Amino acid sequence: MIDMDAPSRAGQPAQPSDLVDVAHLVTAYYTGVPDPDAVDQRVAFGTSGHRGSSLKTAFNETHIVATTQAICDYRREQGFDGPLFIGRDTHGLSEPAWASALEVLVANDVTVLVDSRDGYTPTPAVSHAILKANGGRTTGGGLADGIVVTPSHNPPADGGFKYNPPHGGPADTDATSVIADRANELIRAELDGVRRIPFSRARSSCSSYDFMGSYVDDLPSVVDIDRIRSAGVRIGADPLGGASVDYWAAIGDRHGLDLTVVNPVVDPTWRFMTLDWDEKIRMDCSSPSAMASLIKRRSDYSIATGNDADADRHGIVTPDAGLMNPNHYLAVAISYLFGGARPDWPVSAQIGKTLVSSSMIDRVADGLAKPMVEVPVGFKWFVPGLLDGSFGFGGEESAGASFLRRDGSVWTTDKDGILLALLASEILAVSGKTPSQHYSYLVGRYGDPSYARVDAPADRDQKAKLAALSPDDVSATELAGEEIIARLTEAPGNGAKIGGLKVVTENAWFAARPSGTEDVYKIYAESFLGEDHLAQVQAEAREVVSAALGG
């Protein structure tokens, strides 16, 4: 618990008392037995797979073998009979879960491809491998799919397990609901129905795949590596102790870049991290607190970058501005890519954004006269468009994005933090300006938005009601002195339910969504009329939501 009277330790180096006991964590993975009647101990897939801690009996061997068997059952029902690519990040629970998964996959006669170096594998490298194996196909025989063992940027005590179908991106609810239901059924049956063999037999039956070589060698097809090299961009890449650690070294060596891996240490306690806003260790590369060490060294590099543990997120640090807000960088990336940097992309290529991303993106898209599609939260909504090339770019406010190859074909259908980090160097190399300097130009042209996310308390029933709201449940006609021009419970880009509410005025908006893990709802808000107006929007947002919930 944080002592509210003590000075905040956010941004300060972690102390021994902050570190997880890895031996205890792994022991709990093997010894903890989940209670199928306890909601918090069931398998539950969010937007990025099943996550939890073995210390809370939410991520244990039982969960993983049941979930892996459920994936085997699902892929058999779907006719996915090609190889399955599996990767893991550097969290303490990732290797034990990876080993458990192999025992079940091989017992189910799945052809399993593991890293040829027996190393860590970023999420985008798994997506890249699936797409390469399938050659753009999502139907027919021999389709490959994948598993990534990662809780992304979550604290060291957490584990995560996500499934990527043959389209290479995050599984949609049509898959995850079936997998989670079957896994929980198997747990309730005390794993009766799970096929499994000893690890030594399973591991020896796996085949090898060069995830790193395939991904790194292919980068010039999506980023202008030649321009980065010829401009002499001095890059500092901080893997934050995650799966990209060897990839950054290989990128520098393979492509002859002036690239320094700022911190090559891998330690499952993450003792080298600075603490996040809540004084927890969290590998959030979009957090100024978690990125404090790299921000202090921003003058050492032309561009400095960070990635989370599975490298699906990015953080961009410039000498002139420090760590960029993720929304700011998304706007710059879109302005650059669609503003002439990719002449071979289809003219009709669309810009994809989540509905809680900054409206600066809307204004940039209008200025470029490019079509923009607003979708609910979750990268899965960008998968079809990236796969068929109708989306040139898909990005989330939480520092996750991907975009097409230079020829307009698909690169990855999952978030790629390495790609977005390299793009920052391309932008500097081509334009002579840092991404933060580009954002200053956008502010001068389109205005200066203030953006924030806050949490408000809500019990389980209130969260369920919020997720089921309709526009008619909102009776307010004004928000912070402006007329409400839209009340949304479905995303305007694809008509999908947003699981909450978005209210829009001419110069501001807010969105409210229930948390999937805590008794709170999240209020995202933005105003182009300044910080004071933003505070008014946030205050009135709580009132609007409370009234809509009948409270």
Side-chain angles (χ1 to χ4, degrees):
M1 180 178 295
I2 298 175
D3 182 354
M4 299 305 294
D5 295 325
S8 173
R9 295 194 299 133
Q12 300 301 310
Q15 300 301 311
S17 59
D18 298 311
L19 307 183
V20 68
D21 182 335
V22 177
H24 183 48
L25 184 72
V26 173
T27 298
Y29 171 81
Y30 288 108
T31 59
V33 180
D35 177 356
D37 292 321
V39 174
D40 293 341
Q41 296 182 27
R42 295 176 187 165
V43 173
F45 276 74
T47 55
S48 295
H50 173 72
R51 294 183 187 178
S53 176
S54 61
L55 303 179
K56 297 180 179 179
T57 327
F59 190 93
N60 303 80
E61 184 180 41
T62 298
H63 295 105
I64 301 309
V65 297
T67 302
T68 307
Q69 182 63 54
I71 290 172
C72 292
D73 294 346
Y74 175 79
R75 69 193 309 271
R76 190 178 300 115
E77 292 165 3
Q78 298 297 313
F80 303 157
D81 56 358
L84 183 143
F85 295 90
I86 185 168
R88 67 182 189 272
D89 77 357
T90 55
H91 276 79
L93 289 174
S94 292
E95 187 162 344
W98 173 85
S100 299
L102 294 189
E103 295 174 355
V104 177
L105 291 167
V106 175
N108 280 270
D109 299 318
V110 176
T111 300
V112 182
L113 294 175
V114 298
D115 183 64
S116 59
R117 296 171 176 80
D118 200 23
Y120 308 111
T121 308
T123 284
V126 174
S127 179
H128 181 273
I130 294 169
L131 294 172
K132 185 176 181 180
N134 291 335
R137 296 182 306 118
T138 56
T139 59
L143 289 173
D145 52 3
I147 291 172
V148 190
V149 188
T150 175
S152 191
H153 64 289
N154 277 30
D158 284 2
F161 201 80
K162 61 182 182 180
Y163 173 64
N164 286 33
H167 57 52
D172 202 346
T173 51
D174 60 349
T176 58
S177 60
V178 172
I179 292 168
D181 287 348
R182 175 58 175 155
N184 288 318
E185 178 184 307
L186 289 166
I187 291 172
R188 187 172 292 279
E190 298 182 349
L191 302 183
D192 183 21
V194 173
R195 299 176 62 185
R196 190 176 182 186
I197 63 173
F199 176 74
S200 58
R201 285 176 53 198
R203 181 64 183 84
S204 64
S205 298
C206 295
S207 299
S208 295
Y209 180 78
D210 186 3
F211 285 100
M212 188 166 72
S214 176
Y215 178 91
V216 171
D217 288 351
D218 206 14
L219 280 169
S221 73
V222 67
V223 178
D224 197 339
I225 296 288
D226 290 341
R227 292 294 294 271
I228 297 173
R229 181 174 54 251
S230 62
V233 177
R234 192 169 66 258
I235 303 169
D238 191 343
L240 297 185
S244 66
V245 58
D246 291 338
Y247 281 62
W248 279 114
I251 289 167
D253 292 344
R254 170 70 177 82
H255 299 296
L257 302 181
D258 183 358
L259 192 157
T260 300
V261 180
V262 175
N263 177 21
V265 176
V266 172
D267 178 344
T269 67
W270 270 276
R271 65 182 64 243
F272 49 80
M273 285 291 295
T274 51
L275 301 179
D276 204 1
W277 64 272
D278 56 356
E279 301 185 6
K280 293 182 179 180
I281 296 175
R282 185 180 290 109
M283 290 61 72
D284 184 353
C285 49
S286 66
S287 165
S289 298
M291 290 277 280
S293 296
L294 186 61
I295 294 170
K296 287 180 180 178
R297 301 187 60 181
R298 65 182 183 268
S299 61
D300 295 347
Y301 307 103
S302 311
I303 293 287
T305 64
N307 294 117
D308 63 344
D310 68 322
D312 69 343
R313 300 188 186 205
H314 58 272
I316 308 301
V317 177
T318 67
D320 53 288
L323 179 65
M324 291 189 70
N325 178 293
N327 276 302
H328 298 180
Y329 182 59
L330 290 182
V332 169
I334 289 165
S335 177
Y336 172 77
L337 291 168
F338 287 85
R342 294 297 184 269
D344 293 330
W345 280 9
V347 175
S348 59
Q350 298 171 309
I351 299 164
K353 60 163 282 199
T354 52
L355 58 81
V356 295
S357 299
S358 174
S359 288
M360 175 65 90
I361 295 171
D362 303 53
R363 298 186 180 196
V364 168
D366 287 343
L368 293 169
K370 294 293 184 181
M372 191 203 69
V373 178
E374 190 171 84
V375 301
V377 173
F379 203 79
K380 65 183 182 181
W381 300 107
F382 301 127
V383 171
L386 289 171
L387 194 62
D388 66 16
S390 59
F391 276 22
F393 182 99
E396 297 183 314
E397 81 297 336
S398 55
S402 190
F403 54 87
L404 298 178
R405 295 174 188 261
R406 295 162 72 183
D407 67 2
S409 61
V410 63
W411 167 251
T412 63
T413 47
D414 213 328
K415 300 185 291 284
D416 191 341
I418 297 173
L419 173 65
L420 270 292
L422 283 170
L423 180 66
S425 291
E426 180 188 325
I427 291 171
L428 175 59
V430 171
S431 70
K433 296 179 180 179
T434 65
S436 48
Q437 290 170 332
H438 279 275
Y439 187 73
S440 294
Y441 166 78
L442 295 180
V443 167
R445 183 173 179 183
Y446 299 114
D448 188 5
S450 299
Y451 179 102
R453 195 202 92 186
V454 295
D455 295 342
D459 60 29
R460 188 181 297 258
D461 290 340
Q462 289 172 319
K463 290 195 297 180
K465 190 171 182 179
L466 175 58
L469 285 179
S470 74
D472 294 337
D473 293 319
V474 179
S475 59
T477 58
E478 287 190 353
L479 176 69
E482 292 193 312
E483 180 186 359
I484 292 174
I485 58 177
R487 301 168 182 82
L488 305 172
T489 56
E490 297 178 349
N494 60 2
K497 291 286 187 182
I498 65 177
L501 170 71
K502 183 173 182 178
V503 175
V504 184
T505 69
E506 181 181 357
N507 291 294
W509 60 268
F510 81 82
R513 298 179 60 250
S515 169
T517 57
E518 302 174 88
D519 286 334
V520 299
Y521 66 89
K522 303 174 183 180
I523 300 175
Y524 305 80
E526 183 175 50
S527 171
F528 277 81
L529 300 179
E531 291 286 346
D532 290 345
H533 190 253
L534 173 65
Q536 188 178 353
V537 170
Q538 291 172 318
E540 293 189 19
R542 289 187 178 90
E543 296 175 5
V544 170
V545 173
S546 179
L549 294 178

